[in-house]
Amino acid sequence: VSQSRYGVVGRIIALAMAFNSVSKCFPHFWQKMTWDSTYLKGLFQFGSWTTVSNLVRPFMLYQDRLFLANWLSPAITVFYTTPYDMLTKQSLLAESVLNVLFPAFGTTFVQNPQKARGMYLKALLMMAGGFGALAVLVALLAKPLLSVWLSPEFAEKSYVLTMILAFVHGLACVGLVPLSMVQASGRSDITAKVLLCQFPFYLAALWYGVHQFGLIAAPSILLLR
């Protein structure tokens, strides 16, 4: 709950800062604002599907830990959650890049769809090259890095999971590019529908995989998804 409160406060501060920046660039813009109900339906549809995505995505995010902790043990789960949380940090870099690309995608898509396609492919190749190389590097160095950071005993039990998770998070960062392009084009429903279709199959795969193959199933199923 406290994290949610901090998140709300942070968004309010960001909104105030954005309003201040816009006011400096476009003085008195708020005096010229008018109400146009023709945009209301589109905004409601976009926001509704975005809300669905924002509810389903975090619920899916923690199902693997829940399954592992319940069916194996919390003590074993730490060999999965530790590298998972460590590798998640690279998404901060990817999101910072996409925060710049998103408005560019949106504006260009409306004005020149062909140019937006070229911009999208360039961003996709850039992200794939950067995070693909990082994933390979982490996979190759997983065991020695974990040995130095934690212990040789921990590394022995976790390095294979870390290798798989390196590619999981690398693909997740690259996947932010099509996600941003879909959102920027106004089709937030696509993301929500894909997540809703994935959800039952993902749960079924986790249930079967963890029961049959244990800890290694969780990152493998994530990679497949």
Side-chain angles (χ1 to χ4, degrees):
V1 174
S2 60
Q3 290 182 347
S4 299
R5 289 175 179 173
Y6 288 133
V8 171
V9 172
R11 289 178 182 273
I12 292 174
I13 294 173
L15 178 62
M17 294 174 65
F19 183 85
N20 182 61
S21 298
V22 172
S23 299
K24 290 181 179 180
C25 294
F26 306 97
H28 309 297
F29 81 96
W30 56 273
Q31 295 178 354
K32 300 179 181 178
M33 293 176 62
T34 57
W35 175 264
D36 191 342
S37 59
T38 58
Y39 291 100
L40 188 60
K41 182 180 179 181
L43 287 172
F44 180 78
Q45 288 179 342
F46 185 91
S48 298
W49 285 114
T50 302
T51 301
V52 171
S53 297
N54 290 340
L55 289 173
V56 176
R57 188 181 289 111
F59 191 72
M60 292 178 67
L61 184 63
Y62 292 101
Q63 290 306 303
D64 49 0
R65 305 179 188 209
L66 181 63
F67 278 50
L68 292 173
N70 285 335
W71 292 333
L72 300 179
S73 75
I76 294 177
T77 305
V78 72
F79 296 113
Y80 171 76
T81 57
T82 301
Y84 186 103
D85 291 338
M86 176 186 69
L87 292 167
T88 300
K89 306 305 180 185
Q90 63 183 298
S91 64
L92 298 175
L93 176 60
E95 289 172 359
S96 65
V97 175
L98 269 300
N99 284 339
V100 177
L101 288 176
F102 179 81
F105 282 162
T107 303
T108 310
F109 182 82
V110 173
Q111 297 175 349
N112 189 336
Q114 191 61 32
K115 184 179 179 181
R117 173 184 171 84
M119 184 185 298
Y120 165 74
L121 293 175
K122 186 177 180 179
L124 192 63
L125 290 173
M126 178 187 71
M127 297 286 278
F131 287 100
L134 181 60
V136 171
L137 183 64
V138 171
L140 292 175
L141 299 177
K143 194 170 184 178
L145 285 174
L146 287 171
S147 298
V148 173
W149 181 37
L150 295 170
S151 70
E153 293 76 15
F154 189 97
E156 189 64 36
K157 296 179 180 180
S158 185
Y159 81 94
V160 175
L161 303 174
T162 305
M163 293 172 69
I164 300 173
L165 287 170
F167 291 100
V168 168
H169 288 288
L171 284 171
C173 290
V174 176
L176 290 175
V177 179
L179 173 63
S180 294
M181 191 63 191
V182 166
Q183 299 279 8
S185 66
R187 293 298 309 275
S188 60
D189 62 304
I190 294 177
T191 305
K193 290 172 182 176
V194 168
L195 287 173
L196 289 171
C197 290
Q198 285 182 354
F199 188 55
F201 296 102
Y202 178 57
L203 289 183
L206 271 180
W207 179 86
Y208 178 80
V210 173
H211 270 93
Q212 295 294 320
F213 305 105
L215 196 58
I216 194 68
S220 301
I221 292 168
L222 265 181
L223 182 62
L224 180 62
R225 183 174 74 84

